[in-house]
Amino acid sequence: MTPGAQGHLAMLAFSALVAGSFSLGAQAANEIDPAVLNAARFALAALVIGVAAAVTTGLPRTAFQAPWRYALLGGTFAIYFVLMFEGLKTAAPVSAAAVFTLTPVMAAGFGWVLLRQITTPRMALALSIGAAGALWVIFRADLEALRAFEIGRGEAIYFFGCVAHAIYTPMVRKLNRGEPAVVFTFGMLVAGALLLTLYSWSDIAATEWTGLPAIVWITLIYIAVFASAATFVLLQFATLRLPSAKVMAYTYLTPSWVILWEIAFGNSVPHPLVLGGVVLTIVALALLLRDDGARPVEQELRQAR
């Protein structure tokens, strides 16, 4: 497989795994403090990735030069996850997933600022269609709500988390100094775990861990192993092979995956009019993939540099 194809396959798996955290997160968000949950998540994910790195690439000392890089990346992603679970206290999973699909537009902007990555006209069209579809879902196909710009509190909180996620994507490439994705991920996770532990230590100590509902433990294990450890590696793997806007373009599949997760959990399916916005996000992804066929990824990366 070409590097570009590898990046796309990684992001396809990424979108499916991330979607599960919305459905499970909505069930656990009101049972535990978001910062406490994510401190445990980062620590557990760091343990998993640390073991994986030790038995594969190893953990060379050179990989931990300039540790401020990991603190910056870990802190940025910690902000994203805390705000995500704070938003899921009130936002519906599909609606929150729609907010997540706004990150490609922001990633494209930050990709230009940090890396001077250029967005082609086709990519710009695709990002615009995807953003329109996301807004249609966020406002639940209600034109009056759109005119009044009535955004739910949970969606608004999560939006600021998505800003942090969009900044994170181009920062990975800018700060990576040739470290393997698994090693770089390990450094970021350790830094994130330390920062979140310092920030929420009093809440961590006050949490009755033995009295938490089973859904919290199920969610913690899932988001730590599948929606953290695995997706962090997939995201950084893809970020080193694709432009930032295209990496985040796979978030357009998230609402569709979330709907399937919600059906699996026996929850209601959104109104057919709302599903029209989901269709637009899929159209946006198709346009971006078609763009790949016209211009090889390697050529885009050379131009981005």
Side-chain angles (χ1 to χ4, degrees):
M1 296 178 69
T2 64
Q6 292 172 352
H8 286 298
L9 183 60
M11 288 310 298
L12 182 63
F14 169 90
S15 64
L17 291 174
V18 164
S21 62
F22 287 93
S23 294
L24 287 171
Q27 298 179 56
N30 290 294
E31 304 293 342
I32 186 173
D33 180 82
V36 173
L37 177 66
N38 281 289
R41 169 205 205 140
F42 271 67
L44 182 55
L47 177 62
V48 173
I49 289 296
V51 172
V55 299
T56 54
T57 62
L59 295 168
R61 289 186 179 182
T62 55
F64 299 99
Q65 294 176 349
W68 61 267
R69 296 177 299 153
Y70 300 111
L72 183 58
L73 291 170
T76 301
F77 232 19
I79 290 172
Y80 163 74
F81 281 117
V82 170
L83 293 181
M84 172 187 176
F85 277 84
E86 190 65 41
L88 282 171
K89 288 182 177 180
T90 55
V94 176
S95 183
V99 176
F100 188 47
T101 62
L102 294 176
T103 52
V105 178
M106 296 184 284
F110 289 123
W112 184 86
V113 171
L114 296 175
L115 302 172
R116 289 298 185 266
Q117 289 180 341
I118 300 173
T119 300
T120 66
R122 187 188 297 276
M123 287 175 66
L125 174 62
L127 293 173
S128 299
I129 292 174
L135 290 173
W136 188 250
V137 177
I138 293 167
F139 289 103
R140 298 171 180 82
D142 187 342
L143 292 178
E144 290 301 321
L146 179 61
R147 293 192 191 98
F149 210 71
E150 296 175 357
I151 302 176
R153 181 177 180 274
E155 288 86 347
I157 291 173
Y158 183 44
F159 172 78
F160 288 103
C162 290
V163 173
H165 196 306
I167 295 173
Y168 174 87
T169 305
M171 276 203 310
V172 168
R173 179 177 292 173
K174 189 172 183 66
L175 298 180
N176 184 276
R177 297 181 180 179
E179 297 90 352
V182 66
V183 175
F184 205 60
T185 300
F186 175 69
M188 183 275 293
L189 286 170
V190 170
L194 290 174
L195 290 171
L196 281 170
T197 298
L198 290 172
Y199 172 76
S200 60
W201 178 248
S202 59
D203 291 325
I204 291 174
T207 299
E208 295 183 9
W209 294 95
T210 57
L212 292 173
I215 187 60
V216 173
W217 293 106
I218 293 171
T219 301
L220 175 59
I221 293 172
Y222 180 87
I223 63 177
V225 178
F226 299 102
S228 289
T231 57
F232 287 165
V233 173
L234 290 170
L235 179 61
Q236 297 197 34
F237 180 87
T239 297
L240 297 174
R241 289 162 175 77
L242 299 171
S244 297
K246 288 195 174 185
V247 169
M248 298 314 298
Y250 273 87
T251 62
Y252 289 144
L253 285 181
T254 305
S256 300
W257 286 117
V258 170
I259 290 173
L260 294 179
W261 275 89
E262 289 295 288
I263 292 174
F265 280 123
N267 297 326
S268 60
V269 178
H271 190 278
L273 286 178
V274 175
L275 294 179
V278 176
V279 172
L280 286 179
T281 62
I282 296 175
V283 170
L285 174 62
L287 281 172
L288 288 173
L289 292 180
R290 182 183 174 188
D291 192 31
D292 275 340
R295 299 181 58 184
V297 170
E298 290 80 0
Q299 179 184 352
E300 284 194 1
L301 293 181
R302 285 197 296 271
Q303 291 184 355
R305 294 190 187 102

